[in-house]
Amino acid sequence: MGHALIDLFVAPSPGELGDECTLDDHCSGINHTLCRSGFCQCQRGYKRSMGKCPMKLIDEDCEDDVDCKVPGSHCDPSSKTCSCDLGRMSNVNHNYCIWRKVQDKCVLHEDCNASMKNSFCSSDYNICSCVIGNIPSVDLAKCHPHDDIGDIVKTVLYIVAISVLIITNIFLVMMFTKILRNLETQRDFYDHSKVGSQCTSNIDCYAAITNSHCHNASCDCNLGHYDDHNGTQCIRRVLNDTCTEATDCNSVIPEAICNDEDLCDCPLAYEWTEYWDACRKRVIGSFCQEDEECFSAVEFSHCDNRTSECDCTEAFMPNGNNTICLVRPTMPPFVQIPPDRGPTCNPNSSTDDCASYNDSRCLTIGLQSYCVCQPGYGRRSSQDPCVRVISYEASIVLNRINRKYDVGNLTFEDDLHDVTSKQFQELATRLELNGIATSLLSSDMRMTYIESHVMSFDPFLPWGIRVNAVINFEFNETALLHNINQTQSVFESFLSGSQGELGNSGMYVPESYTDHLLIEDLDECNSSRWMTLHNCDVEAVCLNFVGTFSCICHLEYKDISSNVIYPGRSCKARTVPSILLNLEYTFRSASCTNGVCETPWGMVLGALGSIFGLLFIMLVIEVVYRTREMSRIIDRTVLKCVLREEKVKLRRKTILSQKRRKENRGMKKSVSFTASTKVSGSVDALASIEGSAIIIIKYKLNVAYVNFLTETPDTNNSTGQGIDNLALDITDEILQAKDTPGEKRSSSSTEGGVDNLAIDITDET
């Protein structure tokens, strides 16, 4: 999988002319072709012929100068044909534009003067000729000023004669005359010497004709030269001149040959020089049209049809002077760290496959689903438990990638938009493990680093990709010290030491790392990503904080989350006062424009007024309740005071009754049994019955009173006194029953009832 991404940059199989295509590389099977309108076609300046694209020649159709590839040519706007530039003319094969020479055909004076100074186009013969006072050079490529030998000699002799006139006037005159005669004779001979003229020695020829010699008693041009058809000059051959054998060419042009068209030419391994006077061996970077022209000169080379230059094949590289293709060293092989995704799961299962893994959920990554940690949690490996994390977001630009032999440009593919595609998963794994993890594990943050996740890829122009990733650190005191700026510094320091390589991923960040790498807080509440980064309930609000997030249930919902440390994970509907709902609606209605939120203060003040009104009503109710309660307390206090006073009076009466009992002991015996017996039963009933005890005692007292009247037929005085004694006895019995130790007493309310009973009995009596 390490070289999977490199395959993205390998060109498809080459096509032929007329084949369908989408890229220029699809047409690399034929030189000088491009992909136009979905088909492989010849480039401009080349024509289709015999399944190939040879270069357009002189006098062939063109639209502009781009269509004319012959050196020194242009597109004639009037005739719309490729023509040679001013001062040049086409060779026999119409594939080169050579400079005009003396005696070459012409039409205008500029045709000659542009290539040779002091020349013009003769109207008689329409050929280039030198102006008067100039003569052509040996190779007919220039017109030199003419030097008259006789004039020079005369001038020299005249000067000499003047200088020695006084001493040897007669001698100088004789010598001068003799010299003139010899010069005239020699000049007459030379002026009549031509190629083919009779001769006896080489001097008879080359004295008059440069580059000539005497051969078989006649003047002939040297090897590699030819006469100018007038026999007056021997012109040195250049490339593209006519020939009959190889020596006609290579005698003056090393390595030249006489081709099948009887023209001097360079072998395939050589190229023409600028002035066509030499053959130079091709090197890497030389102009070419066919692959044979390159690999015949440099082994393991070919002709690059995009640049029309010789270049080494993919597995080779040129040496320092571009004369040899050396074996190209390969880049270190990329080794992918195997991903540890954890146990697989079925997201459509009726049971939770991840229930046995704490704080886990089932998430689909690519084409497979795995048990991963809940949002806000992470783990280093599938064997480790999920721990709480601090999360940052990283935006990293990558523009180069290691290929087999070199580092090439990284281009964005459309498949990287699809998180389920193979390209996305392979590149994401490469960056998560070999890139981000390797960079952080080699720093001081290795103890708190947990994991990273690539969220998306975006294109970066002119070439490259932008990686958007989440980086998780363990939530502890050490991690809290690693702020965003420190994380940014760690990445920049690593990139500076690795020449821009992110970890050991074989992918590179452009220079000026600060502009192409950004670490910032992760907004877990942003729902635009393919993977949800928070687990708030649908009825809760997600709140983003630096490094983490929190959740809060809506006011009309109750938080029933299992862990109070992480609220808002589970919300249940509840009934709340309408005023609170209105308050929540008020704050939710705040509008935000350009990042500035404006609160509707009218609605806020209305809600606050409603709250204060409710509080005032509750305060009034509380005051009324407190007033009534205080009145009851006062009434109870007064009643207790009255009862205590009555109790004191009753005890006084008891003491008085004891004294009277001694005086009336006889009468007490007659009624004590009946009264005391019944009253004792009443006292026992009083211990268990509080509300109805008084009524029962009063009833039994009346019975005792009736019995007393029927059994004691005394006088009125004795009867009244007996009744008083009976009341005192009953009261005394009640008080004794109340104060008897060991008896089961009732509450304080029962004691109060006994006191009241005693008072009532006394009153009844």
Side-chain angles (χ1 to χ4, degrees):
M1 187 172 63
H3 301 288
L5 288 177
I6 299 178
D7 295 338
L8 297 175
F9 309 98
V10 178
S13 58
E16 303 294 336
L17 285 176
D19 290 349
E20 294 184 356
C21 61
T22 56
L23 299 174
D24 292 343
D25 291 343
H26 297 170
C27 306
S28 59
I30 302 297
N31 291 333
H32 312 297
T33 56
L34 290 174
C35 183
R36 293 181 180 175
S37 303
F39 296 94
C40 292
Q41 301 180 20
C42 293
Q43 297 179 5
R44 295 191 62 183
Y46 298 87
K47 60 183 179 180
R48 183 169 183 173
S49 176
M50 304 295 292
K52 294 185 178 181
C53 293
M55 182 174 61
K56 285 187 176 182
L57 303 178
I58 300 300
D59 296 333
E60 292 190 353
D61 296 338
C62 63
E63 295 180 2
D64 51 36
D65 293 345
V66 179
D67 291 334
C68 300
K69 297 293 185 180
V70 176
S73 66
H74 67 281
C75 184
D76 190 340
S78 59
S79 62
K80 289 296 181 180
T81 57
C82 291
S83 303
C84 291
D85 295 340
L86 199 63
R88 295 175 180 264
M89 59 180 292
S90 174
N91 64 347
V92 177
N93 296 328
H94 298 282
N95 58 352
Y96 291 102
C97 287
I98 60 177
W99 290 104
R100 278 187 170 86
K101 299 180 181 180
V102 176
Q103 297 183 356
D104 285 338
K105 293 183 178 181
C106 60
V107 177
L108 303 174
H109 294 310
E110 289 79 3
D111 294 339
C112 304
N113 199 23
S115 60
M116 299 177 294
K117 293 182 179 180
N118 303 321
S119 64
F120 70 101
C121 183
S122 175
S123 59
D124 296 334
Y125 304 101
N126 288 333
I127 60 174
C128 291
S129 303
C130 294
V131 298
I132 299 175
N134 293 268
I135 60 174
S137 61
V138 176
D139 57 358
L140 301 180
K142 297 180 180 179
C143 288
H144 297 292
H146 176 65
D147 294 331
D148 192 337
I149 299 177
D151 293 341
I152 295 175
V153 174
K154 288 179 180 179
T155 302
V156 172
L157 293 178
Y158 179 76
I159 295 173
V160 173
I162 294 299
S163 63
V164 297
L165 181 60
I166 300 174
I167 303 173
T168 57
N169 189 20
I170 298 174
F171 178 77
L172 289 177
V173 171
M174 294 176 61
M175 291 295 296
F176 181 71
T177 303
K178 185 178 180 180
I179 291 173
L180 287 177
R181 289 177 181 176
N182 292 334
L183 290 176
E184 290 292 339
T185 302
Q186 187 176 8
R187 187 175 62 180
D188 292 341
F189 176 78
Y190 290 158
D191 289 342
H192 293 84
S193 296
K194 295 183 179 181
V195 175
S197 299
Q198 293 183 354
C199 60
T200 57
S201 63
N202 291 334
I203 194 173
D204 295 339
C205 299
Y206 67 73
I209 306 172
T210 307
N211 298 320
S212 65
H213 65 285
C214 186
H215 178 67
N216 295 330
S218 63
C219 291
D220 193 7
C221 291
N222 293 340
L223 196 62
H225 297 74
Y226 63 94
D227 66 88
D228 60 355
H229 305 294
N230 293 326
T232 58
Q233 291 182 348
C234 286
I235 303 173
R236 182 179 181 271
R237 279 187 172 86
V238 294
L239 295 172
N240 211 47
D241 283 339
T242 58
C243 60
T244 56
E245 55 185 14
T247 55
D248 292 340
C249 303
N250 57 30
S251 59
V252 290
I253 305 175
E255 308 298 339
I257 61 173
C258 186
N259 61 21
D260 297 338
E261 298 177 357
D262 294 333
L263 297 174
C264 289
D265 196 2
C266 291
L268 285 176
Y270 292 81
E271 62 178 346
W272 295 20
T273 58
E274 182 179 1
Y275 297 103
W276 300 4
D277 56 354
C279 288
R280 181 173 55 207
K281 189 174 183 180
R282 297 182 191 273
V283 295
I284 301 301
S286 297
F287 175 80
C288 62
Q289 293 180 319
E290 303 293 338
D291 290 339
E292 293 82 359
E293 297 174 350
C294 298
F295 65 70
S296 60
V298 182
E299 192 177 9
F300 307 116
S301 66
H302 69 109
C303 184
D304 190 341
N305 64 344
R306 292 173 296 181
T307 60
S308 296
E309 294 180 352
C310 292
D311 192 10
C312 293
T313 56
E314 183 182 9
F316 295 85
M317 59 182 294
N319 63 346
N321 54 10
N322 294 330
T323 58
I324 302 175
C325 285
L326 304 175
V327 177
R328 176 176 295 180
T330 59
M331 299 294 292
F334 171 73
V335 179
Q336 175 65 62
I337 299 176
D340 185 8
R341 299 293 188 187
T344 59
C345 59
N346 182 7
N348 300 321
S349 176
S350 58
T351 60
D352 188 1
D353 296 343
C354 302
S356 58
Y357 302 94
N358 293 334
D359 300 316
S360 296
R361 59 172 174 166
C362 187
L363 180 67
T364 301
I365 302 177
L367 301 177
Q368 184 64 50
S369 299
Y370 302 91
C371 290
V372 300
C373 293
Q374 292 282 0
Y377 289 81
R379 59 188 176 194
R380 291 185 175 89
S381 68
S382 60
Q383 306 300 324
D384 296 331
C386 294
V387 296
R388 190 180 178 188
V389 296
I390 297 175
S391 301
Y392 296 146
E393 183 174 8
S395 176
I396 307 172
V397 174
L398 303 170
N399 68 338
R400 293 177 298 150
I401 184 173
N402 285 342
R403 298 187 295 190
K404 184 176 181 180
Y405 299 104
D406 58 2
V407 178
N409 294 332
L410 180 62
T411 58
F412 184 85
E413 299 291 336
D414 292 337
D415 289 339
L416 294 179
H417 281 306
D418 183 7
V419 297
T420 62
S421 65
K422 180 180 179 181
Q423 288 83 352
F424 183 97
Q425 294 301 321
E426 289 180 351
L427 185 56
T429 302
R430 182 173 186 170
L431 291 172
E432 291 170 358
L433 301 179
N434 293 69
I436 298 175
T438 303
S439 301
L440 294 176
L441 291 176
S442 61
S443 68
D444 295 338
M445 307 179 76
R446 60 183 176 275
M447 300 302 297
T448 58
Y449 173 74
I450 296 296
E451 61 184 353
S452 62
H453 299 287
V454 173
M455 305 302 296
S456 63
F457 294 107
D458 297 318
F460 182 80
L461 300 177
W463 60 78
I465 61 176
R466 183 184 297 276
V467 183
N468 301 305
V470 175
I471 304 177
N472 293 330
F473 298 93
E474 185 176 357
F475 190 93
N476 54 34
E477 294 181 358
T478 305
L480 292 176
L481 297 176
H482 296 161
N483 54 24
I484 294 176
N485 294 333
Q486 183 175 357
T487 307
Q488 176 92 17
S489 300
V490 168
F491 274 106
E492 292 178 2
S493 176
F494 185 91
L495 293 173
S496 299
S498 63
Q499 288 75 44
E501 183 179 5
L502 184 62
N504 59 0
S505 64
M507 308 178 76
Y508 297 83
V509 178
E511 294 183 0
S512 182
Y513 307 129
T514 305
D515 299 333
H516 299 96
L517 188 145
L518 177 63
I519 306 297
E520 57 186 353
D521 176 51
L522 173 66
D523 186 2
E524 291 90 349
C525 300
N526 186 354
S527 60
S528 61
R529 299 178 174 88
W530 69 271
M531 182 174 68
T532 304
L533 299 179
H534 69 83
N535 57 347
C536 297
D537 191 89
V538 294
E539 298 299 341
V541 177
C542 179
L543 302 177
N544 181 59
F545 299 98
V546 177
T548 183
F549 69 97
S550 184
C551 309
I552 298 179
C553 294
H554 294 152
L555 289 180
E556 63 269 28
Y557 288 84
K558 181 180 180 181
D559 193 342
I560 58 173
S561 302
S562 59
N563 192 340
V564 295
I565 300 178
Y566 308 112
R569 271 57 173 184
S570 180
C571 301
K572 180 180 179 181
R574 64 179 177 182
T575 303
V576 296
S578 60
I579 186 172
L580 297 181
L581 296 179
N582 293 335
L583 179 61
E584 182 191 24
Y585 174 78
T586 298
F587 287 99
R588 286 185 181 179
S589 300
S591 59
C592 298
T593 304
N594 297 327
V596 179
C597 296
E598 298 181 357
T599 304
W601 292 108
M603 300 180 67
V604 172
L605 294 177
L608 293 177
S610 301
I611 293 175
F612 284 118
L614 178 62
L615 292 176
F616 178 76
I617 294 173
M618 294 175 64
L619 179 61
V620 171
I621 295 174
E622 182 68 15
V623 170
V624 173
Y625 173 78
R626 294 288 183 181
T627 303
R628 291 183 178 180
E629 188 67 21
M630 184 61 68
S631 177
R632 291 178 182 177
I633 293 174
I634 293 174
D635 292 343
R636 289 179 182 177
T637 303
V638 173
L639 181 60
K640 286 183 179 180
C641 292
V642 173
L643 290 176
R644 287 177 182 176
E645 184 178 355
E646 292 296 330
K647 184 177 181 180
V648 172
K649 292 180 180 180
L650 182 60
R651 288 190 177 277
R652 290 177 180 177
K653 290 182 180 181
T654 302
I655 296 172
L656 181 60
S657 65
Q658 290 178 354
K659 292 181 180 181
R660 291 179 179 179
R661 189 183 305 167
K662 294 179 180 180
E663 297 176 356
N664 302 308
R665 187 176 301 273
M667 186 175 62
K668 177 182 177 183
K669 291 181 179 180
S670 62
V671 298
S672 62
F673 175 78
T674 304
S676 62
T677 301
K678 296 184 179 293
V679 172
S680 297
S682 300
V683 172
D684 293 337
L686 181 64
S688 59
I689 302 174
E690 178 180 355
S692 60
I694 297 175
I695 299 175
I696 296 173
I697 294 300
K698 287 182 178 181
Y699 172 75
K700 292 188 177 183
L701 181 61
N702 292 331
V703 174
Y705 180 72
V706 173
N707 293 335
F708 175 76
L709 293 178
T710 56
E711 293 178 1
T712 311
D714 290 339
T715 61
N716 293 333
N717 293 331
S718 60
T719 302
Q721 185 177 4
I723 293 173
D724 293 335
N725 293 334
L726 176 62
L728 293 175
D729 291 339
I730 293 173
T731 302
D732 187 46
E733 289 291 338
I734 293 172
L735 295 175
Q736 288 181 0
K738 174 183 176 184
D739 297 333
T740 300
E743 291 290 338
K744 189 174 185 180
R745 298 181 181 180
S746 62
S747 62
S748 60
S749 61
T750 305
E751 293 178 1
V754 173
D755 294 338
N756 294 333
L757 176 61
I759 296 172
D760 292 339
I761 292 173
T762 304
D763 293 339
E764 288 290 339
T765 305

